[in-house]
Amino acid sequence: DTAVSQTPKYLVTQMGNDKSIKCEQNLGHDTMYWYKQDSKKFLKIMFSYNNKELIINETVPNRFSPKSPDKAHLNLHINSLELGDSAVYFCASSQEGGNSPLHFGNGTRLTVT
Amino acid sequence: GNSVTQMEGPVTLSEEAFLTINCTYTATGYPSLFWYVQYPGEGLQLLLKATKADDKGSNKGFEATYRKETTSFHLEKGSVQVSDSAVYFCALRLTGGGNKLTFGTGTQLKVEL
């Protein structure tokens, strides 16, 4: 009955490869997000989708391409992986409205070697 | 722009000590304010929230009061336990603008016996 689930939990890959991270939420929320957490624990928004439409794209390299097949899913595809992409990526979802909290998945730890 | 400033960590306390983690914010408008907690190796969990001035959020013995006059949302707990060791994030969210959550840099708390 996990609310926001993302897979895989760990991802180790070599530079230049292409990889995807999947995210699903069963909370009925309209908005989903991807955040990146760096080695110093700093969290930065990458993308936000509302009802399958992109509404935030925060100067992320175009090697990163989010895809939302429906409002319950938001996947993240990364092309030509670089060492600097190593981080923990968190998916989240929320209802509309600024007073609603975001619900986070458990994260995907990406290591690029 | 919108931003959140937290005290730098790590904060190291003995069990049963009083905890304060300072958080101040800058926002164009009237944000909702949140505290999230991240236990080692886990995702972010909502700890508490406040949606308007003078509201007090509370959960698991933690409290924070939304102070509009000082633009602050300091986290407090009267008696910490070893199990409270985690990273604590202060965050704000405005209505509109994609409804993203803007985080502070996080404060690591270590509680020792």
Side-chain angles (χ1 to χ4, degrees):
Chain A
D1 61 345
T2 304
V4 181
S5 59
Q6 50 183 114
T7 56
K9 187 175 174 67
Y10 300 98
L11 187 51
V12 181
T13 189
Q14 292 183 328
M15 280 194 304
N17 286 347
D18 303 338
K19 290 293 179 185
S20 293
I21 306 172
K22 295 185 177 182
C23 179
E24 176 181 3
Q25 55 96 3
N26 63 4
L27 297 167
H29 292 162
D30 289 333
T31 308
M32 295 186 72
Y33 310 79
W34 279 109
Y35 278 80
K36 179 180 181 180
Q37 185 175 46
D38 63 22
S39 59
K40 295 184 179 180
K41 300 290 188 183
F42 185 68
L43 283 150
K44 185 172 171 58
I45 182 80
M46 299 175 69
F47 301 104
S48 172
Y49 270 71
N50 182 271
N51 269 321
K52 303 192 297 177
E53 290 192 22
L54 179 67
I55 53 175
I56 294 177
N57 181 342
E58 291 275 323
T59 60
V60 176
N62 57 15
R63 297 183 295 105
F64 290 77
S65 53
K67 284 187 173 53
S68 182
D70 55 63
K71 74 174 192 175
H73 295 83
L74 180 60
N75 303 323
L76 183 64
H77 188 75
I78 316 170
N79 290 327
S80 303
L81 278 155
E82 300 177 357
L83 292 177
D85 298 331
S86 296
V88 181
Y89 293 84
F90 285 101
C91 178
S93 72
S94 73
Q95 292 178 331
E96 291 272 2
N99 61 0
S100 298
L102 271 63
H103 297 258
F104 285 83
N106 286 329
T108 296
R109 181 174 294 276
L110 172 64
T111 303
V112 182
T113 61
Chain B
N2 304 315
S3 65
V4 177
T5 302
Q6 286 181 238
M7 60 189 289
E8 286 199 24
V11 173
T12 304
L13 295 173
S14 298
E15 204 171 38
E16 299 184 2
F18 185 85
L19 168 71
T20 301
I21 300 178
N22 290 337
C23 170
T24 57
Y25 67 89
T26 302
T28 53
Y30 300 100
S32 293
L33 302 174
F34 305 85
W35 277 100
Y36 280 81
V37 58
Q38 185 177 26
Y39 297 103
E42 298 186 13
L44 288 94
Q45 301 175 26
L46 176 67
L47 182 59
L48 53 85
K49 72 173 188 178
T51 58
K52 61 183 187 299
D54 300 324
D55 269 1
K56 178 186 282 188
S58 61
N59 186 25
K60 299 181 182 179
F62 291 89
E63 291 183 341
T65 301
Y66 190 142
R67 301 284 187 204
K68 184 180 172 186
E69 63 275 14
T70 54
T71 62
S72 65
F73 193 53
H74 304 319
L75 183 68
E76 296 182 336
K77 186 175 185 183
S79 176
V80 293
Q81 306 300 311
V82 171
S83 57
D84 293 327
S85 298
V87 181
Y88 292 82
F89 293 91
C90 186
L92 69 81
R93 190 179 184 201
L94 288 163
T95 301
N99 294 328
K100 69 179 180 180
L101 202 58
T102 299
F103 285 95
T105 52
T107 303
Q108 184 171 11
L109 171 66
K110 297 180 182 178
V111 181
E112 301 172 335
L113 290 171

